[in-house]
Amino acid sequence: LVARTTLVKLLLNTGDANAAEQYLKPAIKSSPTLLPLRMLEARTFMLAGNNQKALASLQNVTPPTSTASNPDYFALTAAIMQRLGDYKSAIALYENLLATNNNQSTWWLGLALSLQGANQSTMALEAYKKALSTGNLTPALQTFINSKISSLGG
């Protein structure tokens, strides 16, 4: 199982959602309620652009009890919600995540995108700025965030 999940992660990192899904299917069939497998499946569906299936995959398992116990699960759920346009849910999840650790630039970015999607431009601008100030972003993400800040008049 470890080798299979490692291979799936490598395939996801290279952008090969189809191959990742094929290697993941047998593992999920044998362990359908294993949270790490369902999270990998959700990432696979997201990469393929099927966010509805990604959400359904996460709904096939009992969620962790708190954001602190498994922040990756909640960050993934928030990202899916944001992509599905459920900004209210995404904002709530990102705010809960940031309450546990406010130094995660990707969570600030997710919050900013969700706030912007919910037409809360002023708050989105502040979240974009916070994402930049926390660091640990690739140059491409920094450029993306700077363009968002400019478009919001920041």
Side-chain angles (χ1 to χ4, degrees):
L1 187 61
V2 172
R4 185 175 297 273
T5 57
T6 300
L7 177 59
V8 168
K9 288 176 186 177
L10 288 171
L11 290 168
L12 289 175
N13 286 340
T14 63
D16 194 344
N18 290 332
E21 185 178 357
Q22 293 308 310
Y23 281 102
L24 199 52
K25 277 183 181 180
I28 288 176
K29 188 173 182 177
S30 68
S31 302
T33 60
L34 195 60
L35 182 61
L37 291 178
R38 288 298 182 168
M39 289 175 62
L40 277 174
E41 182 182 50
R43 285 188 180 103
T44 301
F45 288 138
M46 283 180 72
L47 184 61
N50 195 334
N51 296 308
Q52 203 61 49
K53 271 186 156 180
L55 181 60
S57 181
L58 292 181
Q59 291 171 338
N60 281 321
V61 294
T62 303
T65 55
S66 71
T67 50
S69 67
N70 192 333
D72 292 340
Y73 169 87
F74 290 98
L76 180 59
T77 303
I80 294 168
M81 295 299 199
Q82 185 264 322
R83 289 179 179 199
L84 289 171
D86 184 354
Y87 302 118
K88 184 178 178 180
S89 295
I91 290 166
L93 287 167
Y94 281 121
E95 286 175 342
N96 285 339
L97 285 162
L98 288 162
T100 65
N101 180 353
N102 69 353
N103 289 317
Q104 290 290 331
S105 54
T106 54
W107 297 349
W108 281 108
L109 174 57
L111 177 61
L113 290 167
S114 300
L115 288 165
Q116 189 172 6
N119 296 315
Q120 297 180 31
S121 300
T122 303
M123 293 174 69
L125 179 60
E126 292 309 310
Y128 283 124
K129 289 178 179 178
K130 187 67 176 176
L132 271 182
S133 72
T134 57
N136 299 323
L137 293 167
T138 65
L141 277 179
Q142 290 174 14
T143 301
F144 173 79
I145 292 170
N146 280 321
S147 73
K148 290 289 193 177
I149 290 171
S150 294
S151 74
L152 291 172

